[in-house]
Amino acid sequence: MYNSKIAGLGFYVPENIVTNDDLTQWMDTSDEWIQERTGIKQRHWIADDSNETSATMGAEAAKIAIERAGMTKDDIDFIVFATLSPDYYFPGCGVQIQDMLGMDTIGAIDIRNQCSGFIYGLATADQFIKTGMYQNVLVIGAEYHSNGLDKTTRGRGVSVIFGDGAGACVLTRTEDQTKGILSSHLHSEGKHAEELVVKSPSIKHWVPEIIDSNGEDLSYFPYMNGTFVFKNAVVRFSEVIMEGLTANQLSPTDIDLFIPHQANLRIAQFVQQKFKLSNDQVYNNIMNYGNTTAASIIIALTEAWEKGKIKDGDLVVLAAFGSGFTWGSTIIRW
Ligand code: UT7
């Protein structure tokens, strides 16, 4: 069986920066509250007059990743696109990437696993490579949150957290069994689906019903039971990291770099303390980008790599938790 390894990384965020202070023009919030509870200082939101979307940002990130892999679009065999904010209800963004990058008629799938979307996407690509079906798979995580948030005081518990952006990597075949993705660990618990959800429009509750409510029906805005999600996140993060390490006969002391999904700096710090990791062993960038959901891990991984924080042979651990609930980890020997 083959192994898969990351050959190229890239990320793209829209130019427009929204600081915590900027948010106070729309809602009753403060820089102090947001930084204390989440660690976030600013996020990038697509500007109102921009035509950017999840697919266009994903395409920009993908171009960088493909170039850094020393490849061209024609080397890619398959596209995996993770997002909860696609351009269309259907089809998914993956097919748009095939078109935007002028690729041959290769296959493309979308992954609907929210904050864990990139981990699920990477695991999916890894399986295609391990079985020998494909040699190079493009994995993208991208989100355009800002157009779907309730930017009034009513929605402040959710809207201050999320940011727009995209990241991508090229996963490639290697015959070196000691390098690359060592294992992936995926979980779900659907009974908590409504604790972090955008309920509508859905086929069972379609657009005319929302319009008929004359503004009463707000089910198209994200809802999050923040405290409940936080409590589950710290437990599931810890479990799934240990599961991944144990599966590879490793322990927390073996971790060179831990990159958590950037949900909340306090969650990352809790996990850091639990596993007694130093600041050098954890990479966080939620301060600058907010929570970009399926894009967050791949943006952080790319940024950490760009800063020279990942060396050949390092043990890199990725982990995510979010809506579904879904959660997962990826153990990588770089
Ligand atoms: O990525 C997917 C997974 N997501 C997560 O893992 C997120 C997990 N949850 C969290 O990160 C935290 O629960 C939040 C950051 C979302 C919220 O923090 P919290 O400490 O749980 O605050 P809270 O929701 O309990 O609200 C505390 C107070 C409330 O006021 P009262 O009722 O105590 O008077 C809120 O109305 O803070 C108020 N509040 C705000 N105040 C200023 C909520 N949002 C804001 C805000 N600015 N933006």
Side-chain angles (χ1 to χ4, degrees):
M1 200 155 76
Y2 300 107
N3 228 10
S4 77
K5 66 171 187 179
I6 291 174
L9 292 158
F11 80 97
Y12 176 89
V13 288
E15 213 179 299
N16 182 42
I17 292 173
V18 178
T19 65
N20 294 342
D21 282 336
D22 290 337
L23 294 174
T24 62
Q25 66 188 293
W26 301 300
M27 64 186 84
D28 179 14
T29 190
S30 66
D31 179 49
E32 191 190 2
W33 191 96
I34 299 170
Q35 284 211 50
E36 192 187 310
R37 306 282 177 132
T38 70
I40 299 167
K41 294 182 179 170
Q42 61 172 50
R43 74 286 294 140
H44 293 243
W45 278 358
I46 289 175
D48 290 342
D49 59 356
S50 165
N51 290 324
E52 290 184 306
T53 63
S54 293
T56 68
M57 293 189 295
E60 292 308 314
K63 285 183 208 164
I64 299 167
I66 293 169
E67 195 190 333
R68 284 178 174 168
M71 297 183 191
T72 73
K73 62 179 175 63
D74 299 322
D75 295 312
I76 304 298
D77 304 313
F78 193 67
I79 302 160
V80 179
F81 199 113
T83 187
L84 64 70
S85 48
D87 294 22
Y88 304 123
Y89 190 82
F90 73 82
C93 288
V95 299
Q96 290 176 270
I97 297 299
Q98 179 275 328
D99 181 47
M100 285 172 179
L101 267 53
M103 291 161 142
D104 202 359
T105 55
I106 58 171
I109 54 167
D110 274 42
I111 300 276
R112 291 279 310 265
N113 284 73
Q114 300 68 247
C115 304
S116 312
F118 186 73
I119 297 282
Y120 271 76
L122 206 55
T124 304
D126 180 44
Q127 302 314 305
F128 279 125
I129 291 174
K130 282 206 165 96
T131 58
M133 183 161 171
Y134 296 126
Q135 190 152 348
N136 301 310
V137 181
L138 177 63
V139 186
I140 299 170
E143 302 291 0
Y144 177 13
H145 282 302
S146 56
N147 202 35
L149 299 171
D150 180 356
K151 295 179 191 133
T152 68
T153 298
R154 187 180 55 205
R156 66 183 179 175
V158 175
S159 54
V160 301
I161 297 168
F162 292 101
D164 301 335
C169 74
V170 176
L171 206 63
T172 194
R173 179 191 292 177
T174 172
E175 301 202 6
D176 182 348
Q177 295 295 324
T178 64
K179 287 276 177 73
I181 296 184
L182 302 183
S183 63
S184 303
H185 306 270
L186 309 175
H187 294 277
S188 71
E189 193 173 24
K191 73 178 176 190
H192 299 313
E194 295 195 359
E195 303 294 352
L196 178 45
V197 66
V198 175
K199 279 193 174 174
S200 309
S202 70
I203 292 300
K204 68 172 185 175
H205 191 66
W206 197 233
V207 177
E209 294 166 65
I210 298 173
I211 294 170
D212 283 351
S213 80
N214 288 321
E216 292 285 309
D217 185 342
L218 298 172
S219 57
Y220 54 89
F221 284 134
Y223 165 78
M224 176 164 69
N225 181 349
T227 316
F228 186 74
V229 174
F230 193 107
K231 282 181 185 159
N232 277 267
V234 292
V235 172
R236 297 308 195 184
F237 261 107
S238 305
E239 279 177 9
V240 82
I241 293 164
M242 265 328 287
E243 182 185 352
L245 292 172
T246 306
N248 294 284
Q249 291 90 47
L250 295 164
S251 72
T253 52
D254 294 310
I255 297 174
D256 292 299
L257 195 64
F258 167 50
I259 301 185
H261 161 53
Q262 300 292 291
N264 183 324
L265 190 61
R266 308 297 159 234
I267 295 175
Q269 287 169 336
F270 179 94
V271 177
Q272 175 176 351
Q273 278 165 16
K274 184 173 168 90
F275 290 115
K276 300 188 171 56
L277 302 175
S278 70
N279 289 339
D280 281 347
Q281 287 171 289
V282 185
Y283 190 76
N284 289 303
N285 63 5
I286 192 170
M287 308 67 102
N288 300 324
Y289 303 108
N291 177 346
T292 57
T293 312
S296 93
I297 288 182
I298 181 61
I299 291 176
L301 181 64
T302 305
E303 205 174 65
W305 175 82
E306 286 175 353
K307 289 181 178 173
K309 290 184 181 293
I310 307 177
K311 302 180 302 299
D312 200 35
D314 275 357
L315 187 78
V316 179
V317 174
L318 315 177
F321 175 88
S323 164
F325 291 152
T326 60
W327 63 100
S329 64
T330 314
I331 313 294
I332 303 172
R333 180 67 70 188
W334 207 262

